[in-house]
Amino acid sequence: WADEAASVEQAVHLGTASTWLDGARIVPPVFGKWEVSEAFPSASFDEAFAFECGPEPGGKEDKATWSPISIELGKPLAAVVKKENASAFVRTTVESDQTREVVFRVSSDDGIRVWANGKLIHDNKVLRGVNQSVDTVKIHLDKGSNSILFKIVNAGSDDGLFVDVGDDAAKRIEATYKLLATEPAKAEPE
């Protein structure tokens, strides 16, 4: 394996590879603090999903109580709603250095709705576990601060939320970029 790795390393012109990497890299947006609302109970899952409540655009209630929550991108968070046949909201801000489209990967236990800057951009009424499937959502970010709101609807038992940014290729490019930043490349042979 070591011989094969050395052969590949010798075949790659690091300056060319570094230039390609810089051009292919999409600088990830910067997330602000995360907050979760209290739960909004309903008579059924269907009602909880359909009912416009709390901070939801067009919601029937103007106020929600918010608490800080720790969300790590790429890792599921359990117990967001904490009640059956109820919904809760998670919000954050995303800073973008430019106007662009960004791929978010989201999952929920159970249903989920997502708004970006007040516009509904994803709606998935589903009964699933947070690790059963991931929805890919393209989000338009304006340059500067963008508000992101998630509605998580729980039918029963456990509930949760998963959020990540970037498709698989973007994640590999970012991991390579970070690796090279922490382990400077060897000098190019002349």
Side-chain angles (χ1 to χ4, degrees):
W1 181 88
D3 290 340
E4 187 178 328
S7 173
V8 169
E9 186 177 325
Q10 289 175 357
V12 173
H13 184 269
L14 293 179
T16 303
S18 183
T19 300
W20 178 88
L21 184 63
D22 286 340
R25 181 177 184 239
I26 299 169
V27 178
V30 177
F31 285 78
K33 66 180 180 175
W34 293 83
E35 296 178 308
V36 63
S37 74
E38 77 273 22
F40 294 88
S42 295
S44 68
F45 170 75
D46 291 334
E47 183 180 300
F49 193 85
F51 184 61
E52 295 176 346
C53 61
E56 186 171 343
K60 306 272 186 274
E61 300 175 29
D62 292 337
K63 297 180 182 177
T65 302
W66 294 96
S67 302
I69 190 169
S70 179
I71 292 186
E72 188 175 341
L73 296 178
K75 296 200 176 176
L77 175 68
V80 176
V81 181
K82 301 178 186 171
K83 291 185 179 180
E84 295 187 357
N85 296 319
S87 62
F89 295 85
V90 174
R91 69 181 181 185
T92 189
T93 56
V94 178
E95 293 289 327
S96 181
D97 61 344
Q98 59 186 316
T99 299
R100 61 183 164 157
E101 300 288 321
V102 175
V103 173
F104 273 45
R105 296 180 312 131
V106 299
S107 187
S108 54
D109 184 352
D110 291 298
I112 187 169
R113 284 186 160 164
V114 183
W115 290 264
N117 296 322
K119 180 181 176 188
L120 181 65
I121 57 166
H122 184 65
D123 193 13
N124 191 358
K125 183 179 175 185
V126 63
L127 298 173
R128 66 177 173 194
V130 75
N131 292 318
Q132 288 182 322
S133 64
V134 175
D135 306 332
T136 300
V137 182
K138 279 194 175 183
I139 296 182
H140 174 84
L141 296 178
D142 295 325
K143 183 177 181 177
S145 185
N146 297 267
S147 63
I148 308 294
L149 179 69
F150 303 87
K151 179 181 184 179
I152 309 305
V153 184
N154 186 39
S157 190
D158 298 332
D159 68 84
L161 172 66
F162 169 88
V163 179
D164 204 359
V165 177
D167 59 16
D168 290 338
K171 296 200 101 21
R172 286 192 300 271
I173 289 169
E174 186 62 19
T176 303
Y177 187 86
K178 287 180 179 178
L179 177 66
L180 291 176
T182 59
E183 296 181 18
K186 296 175 188 171
E188 287 286 330
E190 297 279 333

